Amino acid sequence: FVGGVFDGHGRVGEVVSQYVINTLPGVLSAHASLATDPGEALRSAFCEVDRSLAEHCDASVSGTTAVCSIVRGNHIWLANSGDSRAIICRQAPKSNRLVAVDITFDQKPDTPAEMQRILACGGHVTPAGENGSPSRVWHNLRGLAMARSIGDHAAATVGVIAEPEITEHEITDADICMVIASDGVWELVESQEVADLVSEVTDLDPAEICRSIVHKATHMWKVEEGDYRDDITVVVLTFPWLESYEGA
């Protein structure tokens, strides 16, 4: 299984994200290390697609976040550039409650390691505001709310990179599903809240889980921002031992 979420932004963000969706699988499947080192294959493929993107469109002020996963047996390799996120929903011991386990980590401009790289490249980072505004890295009077992305080639001059952070996860018997979503979910819904929503879906149907998460995120955007809402994308992979789950 290979799956992911790609959230475009900027002038031609939809063009960038669609290009990555169309191109990344082929680059990944052709990579020499895919069979022996999936993490390296993911890292290399992200960078290669970012380079070829420049020949496809002007991605100077447009880009896409990307969380991509490879599942092989009980092992997951993940590549993350940006602030989309993947979590595992895990059954708590001796309980019907599901616990959220983050398996990727948002790369915000004020994340210490990310900010150190940006500052070393001459970039400027403003912190998140008390009103909920995100931290940003600035280039040519433009503020970008993430430290890594595919595209955003103008921001590359101040330390924004496409190279993903690679993480791995060994699936356990207590793991029920993986949820990957764009920041349209995570901006207003916590990881644990998503796990709680999953626990309420009686048959653990992936489509119904997706609908529940989208509905919750949409409601929260309505409460917080009125008619505006960010892009909301959700992918759910349930694991093959679901009959062991004794949830609601």
Side-chain angles (χ1 to χ4, degrees):
F1 171 85
V2 178
V5 163
F6 307 88
D7 183 14
H9 55 264
R11 289 177 179 171
V12 292
E14 72 282 1
V15 175
V16 173
S17 59
Q18 193 61 54
Y19 176 79
V20 176
I21 290 167
N22 293 343
T23 308
L24 183 63
V27 172
L28 185 59
S29 64
H31 197 279
S33 297
L34 181 59
T36 58
D37 191 348
E40 171 56 26
L42 282 165
R43 186 203 64 77
S44 178
F46 269 48
C47 295
E48 182 176 336
V49 170
D50 181 64
R51 288 190 294 269
S52 67
L53 175 63
E55 303 171 5
H56 176 72
C57 67
D58 178 5
S60 57
V61 292
S62 301
T64 183
T65 71
V67 172
C68 186
S69 66
I70 296 175
V71 182
R72 188 177 294 165
N74 283 356
H75 203 79
I76 307 175
W77 292 263
L78 302 110
N80 177 38
S81 289
D83 56 4
S84 293
R85 187 187 310 162
I87 71 169
I88 293 290
C89 296
R90 175 177 294 168
Q91 187 169 5
K94 300 179 180 179
S95 169
N96 290 337
R97 183 170 181 261
L98 294 184
V99 176
V101 179
D102 290 352
I103 52 174
T104 67
F105 304 95
D106 305 353
Q107 295 150 352
K108 302 291 189 180
D110 59 354
T111 303
E114 304 295 323
M115 185 164 65
Q116 183 179 18
R117 183 187 66 252
I118 291 166
L119 295 178
C121 292
H124 174 64
V125 175
T126 53
E130 293 182 359
N131 62 349
S133 61
S135 65
R136 294 183 182 275
V137 52
W138 293 87
H139 60 100
N140 297 330
L141 302 180
R142 295 180 182 274
L144 185 65
M146 64 204 70
R148 304 191 193 199
S149 71
I150 298 177
D152 290 304
H153 293 151
T157 61
V158 292
V160 174
I161 60 175
E163 181 174 346
E165 182 177 30
I166 304 299
T167 54
E168 298 183 37
H169 177 76
E170 187 72 19
I171 303 169
T172 74
D173 287 342
D175 292 345
I176 302 303
C177 69
M178 176 172 64
V179 178
I180 310 176
S182 66
D183 72 324
V185 172
W186 308 118
E187 194 73 26
L188 296 175
V189 185
E190 298 292 336
S191 296
Q192 185 55 50
E193 291 180 276
V194 167
D196 292 340
L197 291 171
V198 172
S199 70
E200 294 171 1
V201 179
T202 54
D203 59 357
L204 291 172
D205 173 53
E208 185 58 34
I209 293 171
C210 287
R211 280 191 289 268
S212 178
I213 296 169
V214 170
H215 178 78
K216 174 68 173 181
T218 300
H219 171 72
M220 293 305 300
W221 279 103
K222 184 71 173 179
V223 169
E224 296 291 333
E225 299 288 348
D227 292 334
Y228 172 79
R229 75 177 191 189
D230 199 1
D231 299 330
I232 298 171
T233 303
V234 183
V235 170
V236 172
L237 174 66
T238 52
F239 299 134
W241 41 80
L242 294 178
E243 60 271 14
S244 67
Y245 176 57
E246 299 176 354

